[in-house]
């Protein structure tokens, strides 16, 4: 699929929950809803491509814009201004272990709205990088039936830590035990931003309810912005993905859409 900043096939909608209004890019006209939460870069051409793949698989996508501009012109790099903004933001929990980010309280009503509009048993959620753990915190809500953590990186000061409160963690664990909720995670092996220790913690807390897929670093896109900067791959479904049949990262797309299908279309 060709990468482009043209997202005229998406529709911008503004949603207000708890007195806060944020833009959401939507695409698709049939099927259950998937909440796709962008990386620290904001909404990018590679994220738009991933959203389109979900639509092709029979889903409707709601992509909230939490950082950057509500289009696909955001570059896959982090500016000092962005980092400073994150450090002082009250919506994101970058550093504290055992604490859910406040922005999750805005995202959960969005999941309810998407469910009301799309029907089906519930919704799927995928967070990436900065937002990777958001899908776990959102899974306290019964409407979330398929949480996916892609290269979760928060809190940055604790490789094995989870950005979810103990109370919320207990609720999600109860759902895995009582409702059969399943959780999936993806990361590149050797990723210094999303380390293996985090998956060890998730396996310890959730047992067989958590499936962690660790992709060899050699499968990353050698032409990605990170690779060109001499850094290991990080973005499983976006910048470090190789869009070609037979590639491990492209197969991961089929795998995650299969997970959403089993959970939401059964």
């Amino acid at each position: 699929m060709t990468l482009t900043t043209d997202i005229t096939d998406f529709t911008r909608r503004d949603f207000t929950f708890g007195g806060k209004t944020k833009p959401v890019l939507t695409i698709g006209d049939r099927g259950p809803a998937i909440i796709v939460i962008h990386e620290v870069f904001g909404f990018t051409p590679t994220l738009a491509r991933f959203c389109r793949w979900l639509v092709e698989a029979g889903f409707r996508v709601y992509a909230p814009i939490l950082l950057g501009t509500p289009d696909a012109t955001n570059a896959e790099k982090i500016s000092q201004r962005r980092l400073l903004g994150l450090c002082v933001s009250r919506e994101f929990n970058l550093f504290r272990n055992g604490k859910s980010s406040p922005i999750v309280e805005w995202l959960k009503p969005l999941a309810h709205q998407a469910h009301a509009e799309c029907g089906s048993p519930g919704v799927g959620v995928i967070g990436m990088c900065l937002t990777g753990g958001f899908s776990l915190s959102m899974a306290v809500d019964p409407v979330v039936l398929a949480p996916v953590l892609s290269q979760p990186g928060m809190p940055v000061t604790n490789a094995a830590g989870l950005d979810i409160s103990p109370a919320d963690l207990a609720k999600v664990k109860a759902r895995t035990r009582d409702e059969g909720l399943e959780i999936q995670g993806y990361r590149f092996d050797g990723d210094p931003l999303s380390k293996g220790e985090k998956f060890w913690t998730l396996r310890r807390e959730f047992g067989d309810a958590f499936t962690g897929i660790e992709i060899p670093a050699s499968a990353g896109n050698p032409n990605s912005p990170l690779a060109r900067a001499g850094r290991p791959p990080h973005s499983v479904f976006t910048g470090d993905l190789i869009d070609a049949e037979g590639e491990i990262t492209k197969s991961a797309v089929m795998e995650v859409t299969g997970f959403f299908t089993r959970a939401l279309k059964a």
Side-chain angles (χ1 to χ4, degrees):
M1 185 178 291
T2 302
L3 289 175
T4 176
T5 58
D6 181 2
I7 57 167
T8 52
D9 50 336
F10 287 75
T11 299
R12 172 180 170 164
R13 299 171 60 188
D14 290 342
F15 288 89
T16 301
F17 304 113
K20 295 182 179 180
T21 300
K22 296 184 183 295
V24 177
L25 298 177
T26 64
I27 186 172
D29 58 8
R30 61 185 176 88
I34 307 292
I35 311 297
V36 176
I37 315 174
H38 61 67
E39 299 165 87
V40 67
F41 313 121
F43 196 87
T44 62
T46 57
L47 188 68
R49 178 181 63 185
F50 178 71
C51 292
R52 293 183 181 110
W53 282 331
L54 291 176
V55 170
E56 289 176 358
F59 298 100
R60 283 183 271 188
V61 171
Y62 291 66
I65 307 302
L66 309 181
L67 298 166
T69 55
D71 53 43
T73 63
N74 299 282
E76 291 187 13
K77 62 181 181 180
I78 308 174
S79 66
Q80 288 192 343
R81 180 179 179 182
R82 175 67 53 82
L83 285 175
L84 179 60
L86 286 170
C87 289
V88 300
S89 173
R90 295 184 178 180
E91 293 187 318
F92 299 92
N93 169 40
L94 269 67
F95 305 111
R96 282 189 59 185
N97 184 46
K99 182 181 179 182
S100 305
S101 286
I103 189 62
V104 170
E105 296 307 311
W106 188 92
L107 291 166
K108 286 190 286 189
L110 175 64
H112 274 269
Q113 182 71 32
H115 181 227
E117 294 178 356
C118 299
S120 77
V123 306
V125 180
I126 179 168
M128 304 179 181
C129 178
L130 169 76
T131 69
F134 291 5
S135 54
L136 188 63
S137 295
M138 291 176 69
V140 301
D141 198 306
V143 78
V144 176
L145 298 184
V148 178
L149 292 72
S150 187
Q151 73 267 12
M154 302 299 112
V156 297
T157 52
N158 187 341
L162 302 178
D163 54 338
I164 183 172
S165 70
D168 284 352
L169 179 62
K171 290 177 183 177
V172 180
K173 290 173 72 172
R175 289 195 64 200
T176 64
R177 181 184 64 246
D178 301 336
E179 303 172 27
L181 178 74
E182 296 182 13
I183 303 161
Q184 280 200 352
Y186 292 83
R187 64 177 290 272
F188 279 105
D189 185 23
D191 180 1
L193 302 177
S194 179
K195 296 184 178 180
E197 289 92 329
K198 202 169 298 294
F199 275 25
W200 299 344
T201 301
L202 289 162
R203 292 187 180 103
R204 183 193 69 211
E205 295 291 344
F206 295 104
D208 292 341
F210 173 73
T211 301
I213 295 92
E214 299 184 83
I215 298 171
S218 59
N221 188 343
N223 297 311
S224 74
L226 281 178
R228 291 196 299 269
R231 299 171 62 185
H234 171 67
S235 302
V236 175
F237 295 108
T238 55
D240 290 303
L241 178 143
I242 301 176
D243 183 12
E245 295 304 317
E247 294 290 342
I248 296 176
T249 48
K250 186 63 179 290
S251 296
V253 175
M254 303 302 296
E255 194 171 54
V256 77
T257 54
F259 174 62
F260 286 141
T261 298
R262 292 190 301 274
L264 303 176
K265 296 185 178 183

